[in-house]
């Protein structure tokens, strides 16, 4: 299948996932991200066993994990990125968090370009930058800073009011979660782009990589459930009332991850920046389904930030056309 079709499928899945992450996040439940991790472990763990017969190496699960154990930290980076993103949704509107997180694709593309130059796959780095790159970067920085100022103002206004439930208790400090998400997810994207496109004969198959990630989610999901049980004396029933929203989020996350893996294997440079456009659909969905409302200044900030991200994506398409 063409990489662009796979990328579009990923955009659809992950924009839907963002809405369910927000829907299932409770600002009063400081362990909601761990509960999401339990469901991600269940879904991606089940996916791992279903995909095992299709493994490129055709090894038992234990042997396959040992074969690629050195890559496990990079797979774990994806898990940690999701946890930071989910925590951020407790304190930020998804319309704000999603664009902030989607800077990762641009970062990953730049890191991949540098890597391919260093390894000789690309000989001239200057050929892979256009005027759109610095313009996009400046717009992103300006949009993020101005958006942070608006979040801080909203937080102060809530603190001065008598409202019992404050939606923005951390103000701009909540931006740390999408930024950490960006860092970990960019690392994960870079790893996928490199390991799935290694011309040195050590290329990992797409199915094997998905299986490796699934094992990491299963391990960390089980760890989250045990942590809640043993450390916090909380028996979490993932099949309880109101928890199915976490199941749906895990299903769409898993589906998006699978098609993204195949897309980045086909086109490691363009897939990350194009995929980042899913935040546009997330913002539209948040307005329609979650009834999120923002001030005019917030919309202006997000518009500027979005244009910056889009310009970087267009630049990558132009450079590789």
């Amino acid at each position: 299948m063409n990489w662009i079709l796979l990328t579009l499928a990923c955009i659809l899945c992950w924009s839907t996932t963002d809405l369910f992450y927000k829907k299932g996040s409770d600002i009063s439940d400081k362990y909601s991200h761990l509960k999401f991790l339990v469901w991600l472990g269940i879904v991606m763990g089940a996916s791992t066993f279903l995909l095992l017969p299709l493994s490129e190496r055709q090894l038992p699960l234990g042997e396959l994990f040992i074969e690629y154990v050195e890559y496990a930290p990079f797979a774990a980076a994806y898990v940690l990125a999701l946890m930071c993103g989910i925590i951020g949704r407790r304190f930020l509107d998804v319309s704000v968090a999603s664009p902030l997180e989607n800077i990762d694709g641009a970062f990953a593309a730049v890191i991949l370009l540098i890597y391919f130059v260093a390894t000789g796959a690309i000989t001239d780095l200057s050929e892979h930058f256009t005027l759109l790159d610095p313009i996009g970067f400046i717009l992103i920085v300006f949009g993020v800073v101005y958006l942070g100022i608006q979040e801080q103002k909203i937080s102060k206004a809530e603190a001065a009011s008598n409202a019992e439930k404050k939606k923005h208790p951390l103000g701009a400090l909540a931006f740390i979660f999408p930024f950490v998400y960006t860092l970990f997810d960019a690392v994960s994207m870079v790893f996928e782009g490199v390991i799935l496109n290694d011309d040195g004969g050590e290329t990992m198959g797409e199915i094997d990589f998905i299986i490796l990630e699934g094992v990491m989610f299963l391990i960390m999901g089980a760890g989250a459930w045990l942590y809640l049980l043993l450390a916090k004396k909380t028996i979490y029933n993932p099949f309880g009332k109101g928890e199915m929203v976490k199941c749906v989020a895990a299903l769409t996350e898993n589906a998006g991850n699978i098609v993204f893996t195949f897309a980045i294997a086909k086109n490691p440079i363009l897939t990350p920046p194009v995929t980042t456009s899913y935040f546009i659909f997330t913002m539209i969905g948040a307005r329609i389904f979650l009834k999120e409302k923002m001030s005019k200044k917030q919309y202006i900030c997000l518009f500027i930030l979005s244009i910056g991200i889009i310009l970087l994506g267009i630049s990558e398409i132009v450079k590789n056309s």
Side-chain angles (χ1 to χ4, degrees):
M1 185 181 293
N2 187 283
W3 75 272
I4 191 63
L5 294 179
L6 291 167
T7 302
L8 291 174
C10 179
I11 288 171
L12 176 62
C13 290
W14 281 349
S15 59
T16 303
T17 304
D18 261 1
L19 300 180
F20 282 106
Y21 279 150
K22 181 61 179 180
K23 185 72 174 177
S25 296
D26 184 354
I27 197 169
S28 63
D29 183 4
K30 59 183 178 180
Y31 302 121
S32 62
H33 62 291
L34 294 178
K35 296 174 182 177
F36 269 110
L37 181 53
V38 172
W39 257 116
L40 286 165
I42 293 172
V43 170
M44 294 196 176
S47 177
T48 291
F49 287 102
L50 290 174
L51 291 173
L52 192 58
L54 304 177
S55 166
E56 286 87 358
R57 295 299 299 274
Q58 290 294 301
L59 295 173
L61 184 57
E63 292 182 25
L64 187 66
F65 183 77
I66 294 174
E67 179 77 14
Y68 296 120
V69 69
E70 68 268 27
Y71 302 137
F74 298 97
Y78 177 38
V79 184
L80 295 174
L82 284 184
M83 291 302 96
C84 290
I86 293 171
I87 294 172
R89 279 159 182 73
R90 288 174 50 210
F91 306 106
L92 290 168
D93 289 333
V94 70
S95 300
V96 172
S98 189
L100 290 176
E101 292 175 355
N102 277 280
I103 302 171
D104 59 352
F107 284 177
V110 171
I111 296 171
L112 279 169
L113 278 173
I114 295 173
Y115 170 82
F116 288 138
V117 168
T119 56
I122 294 175
T123 57
D124 189 357
L125 187 61
S126 63
E127 295 179 359
H128 295 271
F129 285 94
T130 72
L131 182 61
L132 295 178
D133 292 308
I135 295 175
F137 179 76
I138 291 171
L139 290 176
I140 288 172
V141 172
F142 179 81
V144 169
V145 172
Y146 196 40
L147 187 61
I149 293 172
Q150 300 310 310
E151 283 292 316
Q152 196 66 22
K153 288 181 178 179
I154 292 173
S155 179
K156 288 182 178 180
E158 287 182 348
S161 70
N162 295 321
E164 292 183 4
K165 189 174 183 179
K166 297 177 175 61
K167 293 176 61 180
H168 307 82
L170 299 183
L173 186 61
F175 280 20
I176 190 172
F177 298 111
F179 287 154
V180 174
Y181 169 95
T182 293
L183 175 62
F184 279 114
D185 203 42
V187 169
S188 177
M189 282 185 178
V190 169
F191 168 70
E192 287 189 57
V194 171
I195 195 62
L196 297 178
N197 290 271
D198 187 354
D199 294 327
E202 298 296 328
T203 303
M204 180 190 290
E206 292 93 335
I207 299 296
D208 283 349
F209 182 78
I210 295 170
I211 290 173
L212 175 64
E213 285 193 327
V215 171
M216 291 307 301
F217 270 100
L218 181 60
I219 292 172
M220 297 176 77
W225 191 87
L226 289 172
Y227 174 79
L228 289 171
L229 177 65
L230 301 177
K232 298 303 176 182
K233 310 302 180 183
T234 299
I235 301 177
Y236 173 57
N237 177 14
F239 303 98
K241 183 179 179 181
E243 296 304 304
M244 287 301 102
V245 65
K246 295 180 176 64
C247 171
V248 177
L251 288 170
T252 53
E253 179 70 53
N254 187 44
N257 182 52
I258 290 173
V259 292
F260 177 81
T261 300
F262 282 100
I264 201 170
K266 293 179 180 295
N267 196 325
I269 300 296
L270 289 186
T271 296
V274 173
T275 303
T276 58
S277 65
Y278 82 79
F279 76 88
I280 297 173
F281 300 93
T282 297
M283 292 170 65
I284 295 172
R287 183 68 180 89
I288 295 173
F289 299 109
L290 301 181
K291 310 300 181 184
E292 288 189 354
K293 296 180 180 180
M294 295 181 291
S295 67
K296 290 182 179 180
K297 290 184 177 180
Q298 283 180 299
Y299 276 117
I300 292 173
C301 296
L302 290 173
F303 178 75
I304 294 172
L305 176 60
S306 301
I307 292 299
I309 295 173
I310 291 170
L311 286 179
L312 292 180
I314 293 174
S315 176
E316 292 301 321
I317 294 172
V318 170
K319 289 179 291 191
N320 290 273
S321 62

